[in-house]
Amino acid sequence: MANYHMLSKELQERIQEDRENHWRNPHAFSDENIVRRHMDHDQANLWRSAFVRDTEKIMHIPYYNRYSDKTQVFSFYQNDDISRRALHVQLVSRIARNIGNVLGLNENLIEAISLGHDIGHTPFGHAGERILSELYRQQTGRYFNHNVHSVRVLDGIIHRNISLQTLDGVLCHNGELELQEYAPCEMSTFVEYDEKVEKCYVDESYIGRLTPCTLEGCVMRICDIIAYLGKDRQDAMRLGLVAKEAFSGGAIGVTNGEIINNLIVNLIENSYGKPYLKMDEEYFQALRQAKTENYEMIYNNKQLNDLYEGQIRPMFGELYEELLRQAKAHDKNGILYRHHMNYVRENNWYDAAEYAAYEATEPNQIVVDYLASMTDDYFIALYHYLFPKGKHDVKFTGYFD
């Protein structure tokens, strides 16, 4: 029997009364305070408000299409019922907007952050991210993290004048780090933001200290965890990798539906009208325990990780080496220029000087930009195109296996 919690009668009555009195949350981020690099562009109007513009810009960036074939957790299965990253960002958006609506926050800002937060993710999920970071680190001493690369896509590769508030929410979303309480930091300029981004490249521990500058960013950050925690379990059970009985449950429940509902309820119960988000200790510990169980039974699955290490890692290494050779040689006939540099130029608002500046980017960064942009299928196809006699391949578990 499923166990779905409800808001207390007292809070429900308070929220209903506040709505009847047209209460506005003083901690919500106001559209009027939006900050862009180019404030003379993208003025809000009645049919496209400030953060609606950010959402639409993100959805129309060509890399947004590639969410549909990027691994969420399970890379090696041909199964249309298993989550891809496209579904994940939609689930995050839906859950976060549910919370934001009840708390009286800026739902359009929440949606923009949610839909953009993983646009810089690599193929093959967190295994691909880890491998690419190691290759980049060996060459440059710098770190690759998908949340940092997401803002690079939105602000550095495809120029769309995305707001500071959306970019910061994307940067600070790190869904691997849970907190019992989330409170926004003070930040209002791109100078501060740019310093924040650069620190992530050079200080391995800094990313763990990131805090969003809006309460909306805090909502999206916890909802990233809420969205994947139960859904990854659901996918794992569907693939027969783990049984429902293997999970302990606790205050938040076991199933995807229970986890989503019960964490939403507890967050609202503890956060309504407050300048922070908070959950009860019992719920927080249950969340941490659920994450630990997911790591033990799903994310550290030996069968899956052996495939990543045995096939995907060497494929990444060979592709990185060849693409870096092309970048250093400025090989205009090579695949890097024909399928990445030209793609960036054609899908941008660059003038000649801006494109020349991107072309002069450090070669390792250009290689990382290209590799991180790929879908799983694109990555595999490129490997076989460049190395037709390559000894590595990916064998999928098919629909009828």
PDB file of all heavy atoms in Angstrom, residues 29-46:
ATOM      1  N   PHE A  29      11.945  35.917  -6.657  1.00  0.00           N
ATOM      2  CA  PHE A  29      12.738  36.818  -7.495  1.00  0.00           C
ATOM      3  C   PHE A  29      11.817  37.534  -8.473  1.00  0.00           C
ATOM      4  O   PHE A  29      11.028  36.907  -9.188  1.00  0.00           O
ATOM      5  CB  PHE A  29      13.828  36.060  -8.254  1.00  0.00           C
ATOM      6  CG  PHE A  29      14.827  36.984  -8.889  1.00  0.00           C
ATOM      7  CD1 PHE A  29      15.912  37.454  -8.161  1.00  0.00           C
ATOM      8  CD2 PHE A  29      14.656  37.428 -10.193  1.00  0.00           C
ATOM      9  CE1 PHE A  29      16.817  38.344  -8.726  1.00  0.00           C
ATOM     10  CE2 PHE A  29      15.556  38.307 -10.773  1.00  0.00           C
ATOM     11  CZ  PHE A  29      16.637  38.766 -10.034  1.00  0.00           C
ATOM     12  N   SER A  30      11.935  38.848  -8.527  1.00  0.00           N
ATOM     13  CA  SER A  30      11.081  39.667  -9.383  1.00  0.00           C
ATOM     14  C   SER A  30      11.669  39.810 -10.783  1.00  0.00           C
ATOM     15  O   SER A  30      12.875  40.029 -10.944  1.00  0.00           O
ATOM     16  CB  SER A  30      10.908  41.049  -8.767  1.00  0.00           C
ATOM     17  OG  SER A  30      10.226  41.908  -9.655  1.00  0.00           O
ATOM     18  N   ASP A  31      10.811  39.698 -11.788  1.00  0.00           N
ATOM     19  CA  ASP A  31      11.251  39.870 -13.179  1.00  0.00           C
ATOM     20  C   ASP A  31      11.980  41.192 -13.388  1.00  0.00           C
ATOM     21  O   ASP A  31      12.909  41.277 -14.195  1.00  0.00           O
ATOM     22  CB  ASP A  31      10.056  39.824 -14.124  1.00  0.00           C
ATOM     23  CG  ASP A  31       9.572  38.405 -14.399  1.00  0.00           C
ATOM     24  OD1 ASP A  31      10.002  37.484 -13.678  1.00  0.00           O
ATOM     25  OD2 ASP A  31       8.763  38.226 -15.333  1.00  0.00           O
ATOM     26  N   GLU A  32      11.551  42.224 -12.668  1.00  0.00           N
ATOM     27  CA  GLU A  32      12.131  43.562 -12.862  1.00  0.00           C
ATOM     28  C   GLU A  32      13.604  43.625 -12.476  1.00  0.00           C
ATOM     29  O   GLU A  32      14.331  44.524 -12.918  1.00  0.00           O
ATOM     30  CB  GLU A  32      11.361  44.601 -12.041  1.00  0.00           C
ATOM     31  CG  GLU A  32       9.973  44.929 -12.564  1.00  0.00           C
ATOM     32  CD  GLU A  32       8.973  43.817 -12.308  1.00  0.00           C
ATOM     33  OE1 GLU A  32       9.194  43.047 -11.339  1.00  0.00           O
ATOM     34  OE2 GLU A  32       7.995  43.711 -13.068  1.00  0.00           O
ATOM     35  N   ASN A  33      14.063  42.658 -11.698  1.00  0.00           N
ATOM     36  CA  ASN A  33      15.459  42.673 -11.237  1.00  0.00           C
ATOM     37  C   ASN A  33      16.383  41.790 -12.069  1.00  0.00           C
ATOM     38  O   ASN A  33      17.536  41.565 -11.678  1.00  0.00           O
ATOM     39  CB  ASN A  33      15.513  42.238  -9.766  1.00  0.00           C
ATOM     40  CG  ASN A  33      14.825  43.210  -8.847  1.00  0.00           C
ATOM     41  OD1 ASN A  33      14.849  44.421  -9.087  1.00  0.00           O
ATOM     42  ND2 ASN A  33      14.186  42.701  -7.798  1.00  0.00           N
ATOM     43  N   ILE A  34      15.896  41.307 -13.188  1.00  0.00           N
ATOM     44  CA  ILE A  34      16.707  40.450 -14.041  1.00  0.00           C
ATOM     45  C   ILE A  34      17.971  41.180 -14.502  1.00  0.00           C
ATOM     46  O   ILE A  34      17.959  42.395 -14.729  1.00  0.00           O
ATOM     47  CB  ILE A  34      15.888  39.969 -15.261  1.00  0.00           C
ATOM     48  CG1 ILE A  34      16.610  38.831 -15.991  1.00  0.00           C
ATOM     49  CG2 ILE A  34      15.589  41.118 -16.217  1.00  0.00           C
ATOM     50  CD1 ILE A  34      15.752  38.158 -17.056  1.00  0.00           C
ATOM     51  N   VAL A  35      19.074  40.436 -14.622  1.00  0.00           N
ATOM     52  CA  VAL A  35      20.343  41.002 -15.085  1.00  0.00           C
ATOM     53  C   VAL A  35      20.807  40.189 -16.293  1.00  0.00           C
ATOM     54  O   VAL A  35      20.851  38.955 -16.248  1.00  0.00           O
ATOM     55  CB  VAL A  35      21.423  40.947 -13.981  1.00  0.00           C
ATOM     56  CG1 VAL A  35      22.759  41.458 -14.505  1.00  0.00           C
ATOM     57  CG2 VAL A  35      20.979  41.744 -12.766  1.00  0.00           C
ATOM     58  N   ARG A  36      21.135  40.888 -17.369  1.00  0.00           N
ATOM     59  CA  ARG A  36      21.698  40.254 -18.566  1.00  0.00           C
ATOM     60  C   ARG A  36      23.029  40.917 -18.901  1.00  0.00           C
ATOM     61  O   ARG A  36      23.291  42.048 -18.495  1.00  0.00           O
ATOM     62  CB  ARG A  36      20.749  40.373 -19.766  1.00  0.00           C
ATOM     63  CG  ARG A  36      19.390  39.731 -19.570  1.00  0.00           C
ATOM     64  CD  ARG A  36      18.599  39.695 -20.891  1.00  0.00           C
ATOM     65  NE  ARG A  36      17.244  39.240 -20.697  1.00  0.00           N
ATOM     66  CZ  ARG A  36      16.867  37.966 -20.640  1.00  0.00           C
ATOM     67  NH1 ARG A  36      17.786  37.015 -20.751  1.00  0.00           N
ATOM     68  NH2 ARG A  36      15.607  37.631 -20.468  1.00  0.00           N
ATOM     69  N   ARG A  37      23.845  40.218 -19.659  1.00  0.00           N
ATOM     70  CA  ARG A  37      25.109  40.841 -20.103  1.00  0.00           C
ATOM     71  C   ARG A  37      24.819  42.053 -20.973  1.00  0.00           C
ATOM     72  O   ARG A  37      25.516  43.058 -20.915  1.00  0.00           O
ATOM     73  CB  ARG A  37      25.965  39.821 -20.860  1.00  0.00           C
ATOM     74  CG  ARG A  37      26.559  38.739 -19.967  1.00  0.00           C
ATOM     75  CD  ARG A  37      27.669  37.989 -20.683  1.00  0.00           C
ATOM     76  NE  ARG A  37      28.135  36.835 -19.924  1.00  0.00           N
ATOM     77  CZ  ARG A  37      29.054  36.868 -18.970  1.00  0.00           C
ATOM     78  NH1 ARG A  37      29.609  38.034 -18.651  1.00  0.00           N
ATOM     79  NH2 ARG A  37      29.425  35.766 -18.344  1.00  0.00           N
ATOM     80  N   HIS A  38      23.792  41.935 -21.800  1.00  0.00           N
ATOM     81  CA  HIS A  38      23.418  43.039 -22.689  1.00  0.00           C
ATOM     82  C   HIS A  38      22.004  43.471 -22.302  1.00  0.00           C
ATOM     83  O   HIS A  38      21.015  42.933 -22.796  1.00  0.00           O
ATOM     84  CB  HIS A  38      23.480  42.603 -24.150  1.00  0.00           C
ATOM     85  CG  HIS A  38      24.824  42.055 -24.548  1.00  0.00           C
ATOM     86  ND1 HIS A  38      25.931  42.851 -24.714  1.00  0.00           N
ATOM     87  CD2 HIS A  38      25.239  40.777 -24.763  1.00  0.00           C
ATOM     88  CE1 HIS A  38      26.975  42.100 -25.044  1.00  0.00           C
ATOM     89  NE2 HIS A  38      26.584  40.836 -25.074  1.00  0.00           N
ATOM     90  N   MET A  39      21.931  44.457 -21.434  1.00  0.00           N
ATOM     91  CA  MET A  39      20.641  44.872 -20.892  1.00  0.00           C
ATOM     92  C   MET A  39      19.777  45.622 -21.903  1.00  0.00           C
ATOM     93  O   MET A  39      18.572  45.784 -21.698  1.00  0.00           O
ATOM     94  CB  MET A  39      20.854  45.737 -19.649  1.00  0.00           C
ATOM     95  CG  MET A  39      21.402  44.970 -18.449  1.00  0.00           C
ATOM     96  SD  MET A  39      20.268  43.664 -17.852  1.00  0.00           S
ATOM     97  CE  MET A  39      18.914  44.648 -17.208  1.00  0.00           C
ATOM     98  N   ASP A  40      20.393  46.075 -23.002  1.00  0.00           N
ATOM     99  CA  ASP A  40      19.622  46.781 -24.018  1.00  0.00           C
ATOM    100  C   ASP A  40      18.881  45.830 -24.941  1.00  0.00           C
ATOM    101  O   ASP A  40      18.075  46.265 -25.775  1.00  0.00           O
ATOM    102  CB  ASP A  40      20.531  47.701 -24.843  1.00  0.00           C
ATOM    103  CG  ASP A  40      21.720  46.962 -25.440  1.00  0.00           C
ATOM    104  OD1 ASP A  40      22.169  45.960 -24.836  1.00  0.00           O
ATOM    105  OD2 ASP A  40      22.208  47.385 -26.498  1.00  0.00           O
ATOM    106  N   HIS A  41      19.122  44.526 -24.800  1.00  0.00           N
ATOM    107  CA  HIS A  41      18.421  43.527 -25.611  1.00  0.00           C
ATOM    108  C   HIS A  41      17.468  42.728 -24.737  1.00  0.00           C
ATOM    109  O   HIS A  41      17.584  42.705 -23.513  1.00  0.00           O
ATOM    110  CB  HIS A  41      19.420  42.568 -26.265  1.00  0.00           C
ATOM    111  CG  HIS A  41      20.257  43.216 -27.323  1.00  0.00           C
ATOM    112  ND1 HIS A  41      19.793  43.498 -28.589  1.00  0.00           N
ATOM    113  CD2 HIS A  41      21.544  43.651 -27.294  1.00  0.00           C
ATOM    114  CE1 HIS A  41      20.756  44.060 -29.300  1.00  0.00           C
ATOM    115  NE2 HIS A  41      21.826  44.175 -28.533  1.00  0.00           N
ATOM    116  N   ASP A  42      16.520  42.060 -25.386  1.00  0.00           N
ATOM    117  CA  ASP A  42      15.618  41.106 -24.720  1.00  0.00           C
ATOM    118  C   ASP A  42      14.754  41.751 -23.638  1.00  0.00           C
ATOM    119  O   ASP A  42      14.612  41.230 -22.530  1.00  0.00           O
ATOM    120  CB  ASP A  42      16.427  39.948 -24.117  1.00  0.00           C
ATOM    121  CG  ASP A  42      17.239  39.211 -25.163  1.00  0.00           C
ATOM    122  OD1 ASP A  42      16.629  38.685 -26.104  1.00  0.00           O
ATOM    123  OD2 ASP A  42      18.472  39.183 -25.037  1.00  0.00           O
ATOM    124  N   GLN A  43      14.171  42.877 -23.995  1.00  0.00           N
ATOM    125  CA  GLN A  43      13.262  43.532 -23.069  1.00  0.00           C
ATOM    126  C   GLN A  43      11.964  42.724 -22.951  1.00  0.00           C
ATOM    127  O   GLN A  43      11.415  42.257 -23.947  1.00  0.00           O
ATOM    128  CB  GLN A  43      12.938  44.951 -23.549  1.00  0.00           C
ATOM    129  CG  GLN A  43      14.165  45.853 -23.648  1.00  0.00           C
ATOM    130  CD  GLN A  43      14.827  46.080 -22.303  1.00  0.00           C
ATOM    131  OE1 GLN A  43      14.145  46.353 -21.319  1.00  0.00           O
ATOM    132  NE2 GLN A  43      16.144  45.975 -22.250  1.00  0.00           N
ATOM    133  N   ALA A  44      11.489  42.558 -21.735  1.00  0.00           N
ATOM    134  CA  ALA A  44      10.259  41.798 -21.513  1.00  0.00           C
ATOM    135  C   ALA A  44       9.059  42.540 -22.088  1.00  0.00           C
ATOM    136  O   ALA A  44       9.043  43.771 -22.176  1.00  0.00           O
ATOM    137  CB  ALA A  44      10.066  41.574 -20.012  1.00  0.00           C
ATOM    138  N   ASN A  45       8.035  41.797 -22.494  1.00  0.00           N
ATOM    139  CA  ASN A  45       6.773  42.386 -22.906  1.00  0.00           C
ATOM    140  C   ASN A  45       5.631  41.509 -22.399  1.00  0.00           C
ATOM    141  O   ASN A  45       5.862  40.526 -21.688  1.00  0.00           O
ATOM    142  CB  ASN A  45       6.709  42.588 -24.428  1.00  0.00           C
ATOM    143  CG  ASN A  45       7.033  41.306 -25.189  1.00  0.00           C
ATOM    144  OD1 ASN A  45       6.606  40.220 -24.794  1.00  0.00           O
ATOM    145  ND2 ASN A  45       7.786  41.427 -26.269  1.00  0.00           N
ATOM    146  N   LEU A  46       4.402  41.837 -22.756  1.00  0.00           N
ATOM    147  CA  LEU A  46       3.255  41.138 -22.201  1.00  0.00           C
ATOM    148  C   LEU A  46       3.211  39.661 -22.593  1.00  0.00           C
ATOM    149  O   LEU A  46       2.733  38.831 -21.826  1.00  0.00           O
ATOM    150  CB  LEU A  46       1.960  41.833 -22.649  1.00  0.00           C
ATOM    151  CG  LEU A  46       1.668  43.192 -21.998  1.00  0.00           C
ATOM    152  CD1 LEU A  46       0.432  43.819 -22.620  1.00  0.00           C
ATOM    153  CD2 LEU A  46       1.468  43.034 -20.493  1.00  0.00           C
TER     154      LEU A  46
END
